[in-house]
Amino acid sequence: MKKHVAAIIIMLILLGITFAAKLGAFDSTTSSETSAPTVSETLTPATPETVKTAPLQAGTYTFRNKETGQYLSHRDGSLILSDTPANWTLKEFSNQVFYVYAHDTDYLLDIDNAHVVPGKTIKLWILTGYDVQRWCVEGNTNGTYSILYSGDNQFCLGFEGENAQLQLRSAGNGMQEWEAVDTSDTIPKAYLSYESDGGIIELQLPLDILSVISEARLLQWANELETVYYTYYELTGFIPYGKIIVEAYKPGEHFAYVTDNCNIVRFNSAYVYDEMAKMAARDSDWNFCLLHEMGHMFDCQRPWNFESEVMTDFKLAYVLEKNGAAAAPSEFSVSEVFYGADIIRAYDILGSGFSQKYDIFSIAKRFLEIKNEIGWEPFIKTFHHMQENEAAYAGATHLQRLENFVSLVSENSGVDIKTYFTADEWSTIISQIGG
């Protein structure tokens, strides 16, 4: 009995010590210097007038003007207010920054003549890559949205009478405020969309593309292109965009192309079926066309870019070698594909030499032959140095970029790589890229 009483006493003492320790810990965090919030403070809701509506995401919307009750619409390239709703598609340039397209067209919001001043006309225009075509759609405290110029969010889309203008943002100005309705699920889809796991790549493909390639392969390809993105960054030290869109569901004038300062790869839908069918039939084909066009994005306005076609095909070889992937230019049949470093053989087949006439594939091949002698490391060091010291190369001509690039690769390798070119070959290059 005495043993039980003693055990109970000891237990009470231990509980007392534990409680005191907890009380001490509580006291140490609620001193007079830092007072705990009262119950009323923790339960008081935010004042509704101070809560902004969440910004819009990529998708398709109608915009209804708060002041007039009319909808943002367009006619003959001009923005108008109309009693009839019109759809607008937001395509992402970067986080919360969009191109705002008149739905199902190639025309988007644009500040006239790229002149950012109050009163300047806002109209529709084709994609140019200038930042005056990039917008944020930010929520206001009254449930409406403002369409803001992304380069300076003190400017927004507003109307003066019937004229769409760039205006200084003014709180409570109903002519600058828009009620948005998401119509993405109410209109027919224009394309199938597949996004990479990291959200960096979005494929926009024709609705019937699954007739030539499986959905699983397209999802795999999106992730492969995300790997391409990181591999180009590894090589150059440069990231052009936070997201890249492959727009491959529209016809066009070219096989595929990119616009400077724009994160969209345009891939002509007339050719995409054949390209996807080849990918489906080949093993480990990452698609030469897309690797090539993405490579341009990693050359845009870079100090090493003396000739964009040569540089992108040269860099493309690094992607294939690094990842053990395959690709083939469109000139090759479905049974022909080149793995890793073997892409040099494709350039050899397509090239014709360049001692007398400039030839992109032959020059890319020559740089790969140099790489086979000195390795990739001198080129990686050169790209990174030029990227990190970009300002020092500002204003360089194409010829100066070539000379700077060759000089740095030579310095980083300990080999004068200019000696790999004959006098006639070097003269051909110089005559093509100019002074």
Side-chain angles (χ1 to χ4, degrees):
M1 181 70 179
K2 289 181 180 180
K3 289 182 180 180
H4 290 300
V5 172
I8 292 171
I9 292 172
I10 291 171
M11 185 181 298
L12 289 173
I13 292 171
L14 290 173
L15 288 171
I17 292 171
T18 302
F19 178 77
K22 290 183 177 180
L23 182 61
F26 176 81
D27 288 343
S28 67
T29 59
T30 56
S31 67
S32 59
E33 295 180 5
T34 307
S35 300
T38 65
V39 171
S40 62
E41 288 173 333
T42 59
L43 296 181
T44 300
T47 306
E49 288 75 13
T50 66
V51 177
K52 289 187 175 182
T53 306
L56 296 185
Q57 305 299 316
T60 301
Y61 301 85
T62 59
F63 292 103
R64 185 171 180 265
N65 185 257
K66 183 177 184 296
E67 183 73 17
T68 67
Q70 295 177 297
Y71 293 91
L72 181 64
S73 188
H74 57 93
R75 182 172 55 237
D76 299 328
S78 297
L79 299 183
I80 62 172
L81 292 173
S82 170
D83 293 331
T84 304
N87 288 302
W88 297 87
T89 298
L90 275 57
K91 288 197 174 185
E92 189 174 5
F93 171 78
S94 62
N95 186 34
Q96 299 300 326
V97 177
F98 303 97
Y99 303 109
V100 182
Y101 281 89
H103 179 66
D104 209 22
T105 77
D106 288 326
Y107 293 89
L108 65 163
L109 295 191
D110 176 278
I111 301 172
D112 193 31
N113 290 324
H115 198 190
V116 182
V117 293
K120 201 64 179 175
T121 297
I122 297 178
K123 61 183 186 346
L124 293 182
W125 199 251
I126 59 172
L127 184 66
T128 63
Y130 291 115
D131 67 356
V132 292
Q133 296 184 331
R134 301 174 196 154
W135 305 85
C136 302
V137 186
E138 184 176 295
N140 299 311
T141 57
N142 60 359
T144 66
Y145 295 87
S146 294
I147 302 173
L148 309 175
Y149 163 52
S150 66
D152 186 345
N153 64 12
Q154 70 172 321
F155 291 102
C156 69
L157 166 64
F159 271 79
E160 182 66 34
E162 297 181 353
N163 300 316
Q165 297 179 342
L166 187 69
Q167 298 180 347
L168 288 171
R169 190 178 185 186
S170 176
N173 184 344
M175 296 301 288
Q176 300 176 352
E177 296 179 341
W178 308 89
E179 298 166 353
V181 174
D182 189 343
T183 58
S184 303
D185 294 332
T186 65
I187 57 178
K189 290 184 177 180
Y191 56 84
L192 297 180
S193 177
Y194 299 97
E195 195 168 84
S196 61
D197 289 344
I200 289 172
I201 303 294
E202 182 188 357
L203 303 176
Q204 298 177 351
L205 296 158
L207 294 172
D208 58 349
I209 197 65
L210 297 181
S211 64
V212 298
I213 191 170
S214 71
E215 186 169 66
R217 182 66 186 95
L218 291 173
L219 287 168
Q220 179 185 340
W221 187 39
N223 286 322
E224 288 166 350
L225 291 177
E226 185 166 291
T227 299
V228 171
Y229 173 94
Y230 284 114
T231 307
Y232 276 133
Y233 168 66
E234 177 185 281
L235 175 62
T236 65
F238 172 60
I239 286 184
Y241 313 109
K243 184 183 182 82
I244 292 176
I245 296 171
V246 179
E247 187 180 273
Y249 65 95
K250 296 179 181 179
E253 296 181 9
H254 308 286
F255 190 94
Y257 69 97
V258 296
T259 302
D260 282 355
N261 301 309
C262 174
N263 69 323
I264 298 176
V265 178
R266 298 290 182 86
F267 196 161
N268 191 335
S269 61
Y271 302 106
V272 74
Y273 296 93
D274 186 52
E275 288 291 295
M276 296 299 97
K278 287 180 178 180
M279 279 184 58
R282 291 168 175 164
D283 180 46
S284 302
D285 180 9
W286 287 20
N287 191 265
F288 186 94
C289 176
L290 259 294
L291 269 62
H292 177 95
E293 298 304 332
M294 281 181 63
H296 281 315
M297 293 178 166
F298 285 80
D299 282 335
C300 178
Q301 299 177 353
R302 295 303 90 201
W304 56 76
N305 189 20
F306 63 86
E307 208 282 356
S308 59
E309 298 302 325
V310 168
M311 291 305 289
T312 196
D313 284 345
F314 175 64
K315 299 196 322 301
L316 185 155
Y318 180 79
V319 172
L320 297 180
E321 286 189 49
K322 176 72 177 181
N323 297 291
S330 60
E331 291 86 348
F332 292 92
S333 70
V334 67
S335 63
E336 299 171 290
V337 68
F338 304 90
Y339 292 85
D342 194 42
I343 194 67
I344 193 173
R345 192 163 59 86
Y347 297 170
D348 185 40
I349 294 169
L350 296 174
S352 58
F354 60 103
S355 62
Q356 301 299 320
K357 182 180 178 181
Y358 192 82
D359 183 84
I360 292 164
F361 287 116
S362 294
I363 298 171
K365 177 195 169 193
R366 181 61 50 80
F367 275 103
L368 288 177
E369 289 171 339
I370 296 170
K371 182 275 304 179
N372 288 341
E373 294 290 331
I374 66 175
W376 280 110
E377 192 61 29
F379 291 100
I380 294 172
K381 287 181 179 179
T382 297
F383 284 123
H384 280 248
H385 171 84
M386 298 185 89
Q387 174 61 26
E388 291 163 6
N389 298 277
E390 179 183 2
Y393 298 98
T397 65
H398 286 84
L399 177 57
Q400 289 168 336
R401 292 177 190 174
L402 170 64
E403 292 171 339
N404 290 335
F405 184 76
V406 168
S407 176
L408 283 167
V409 173
S410 298
E411 179 182 329
N412 288 325
S413 65
V415 176
D416 182 2
I417 69 168
K418 190 175 177 180
T419 62
Y420 285 82
F421 299 86
T422 69
D424 286 342
E425 288 172 341
W426 194 254
S427 177
T428 299
I429 296 174
I430 299 302
S431 64
Q432 173 69 23
I433 67 175

